[in-house]
Amino acid sequence: MPSLSERLKKRRRDAGFTLVELLVVLVILGLLLGIVGPRAIDFLSRAKGDVAKIQIQNFGAALDLYRLDVGVYPTTEQGLTALMRAPGGAARWNGPYLKGEAAPLDPWSKPYVYERPGPGGKPYLILSLGADGQKGGSGDDADVSN
């Protein structure tokens, strides 16, 4: 039978991980992050565009309710703020049509662009300028509109 000191030495030697084992685990984790990381970032950037589309649809529904009550869409100068606070001269305003004190910002923390009339015979245009905040662009910088 081994002595007590021999058993303690063997137990200490078997208790931890070796440096090689730790390095192998770190290499595997690094490879996983290298593969999964870019995909996750791409997914998040697409999600912001989807959020902008949904917000623009909500603005559209609120603008339609506004038009039913007031008779016309807000002017470009009145903007989306007319959905939260009654603009001057809107006698039949029955809002607020959106919650909050000011129009929500787009997912990139920039204000939406509202124009009336919109292009191509549309009654209005609601536009998020994307991550770069400028017209045009592609990918995360692409504009999102109604």
Side-chain angles (χ1 to χ4, degrees), residues 28-69:
I28 291 171
L29 287 174
L31 289 172
L32 284 173
L33 286 174
I35 294 169
V36 175
R39 300 278 302 166
I41 291 170
D42 182 49
F43 176 76
L44 289 174
S45 68
R46 277 186 288 152
K48 285 186 175 186
D50 293 342
V51 168
K53 287 178 190 174
I54 291 169
Q55 281 184 322
I56 288 172
Q57 289 173 352
N58 289 338
F59 286 139
L63 284 165
D64 290 340
L65 289 173
Y66 178 96
R67 187 179 139 276
L68 286 173
D69 288 344

Side-chain angles (χ1 to χ4, degrees), residues 48 51-52 55 59 103-113 127-131 133:
K48 285 186 175 186
V51 168
Q55 281 184 322
F59 286 139
L105 299 176
D106 71 7
W108 297 276
S109 299
K110 296 178 178 72
Y112 284 94
V113 175
L127 178 71
S128 168
L129 298 174

Side-chain angles (χ1 to χ4, degrees), residues 18 23 32 45-46 64 72 76 94 110 115 131 145:
T18 66
L23 289 174
L32 284 173
S45 68
R46 277 186 288 152
D64 290 340
V72 295
T76 301
N94 195 25
K110 296 178 178 72
E115 295 175 2
S145 67

Side-chain angles (χ1 to χ4, degrees), residues 8 19 27 49 59 78 140:
L8 288 175
L19 180 61
V27 167
F59 286 139
Q78 292 168 333
D140 204 24

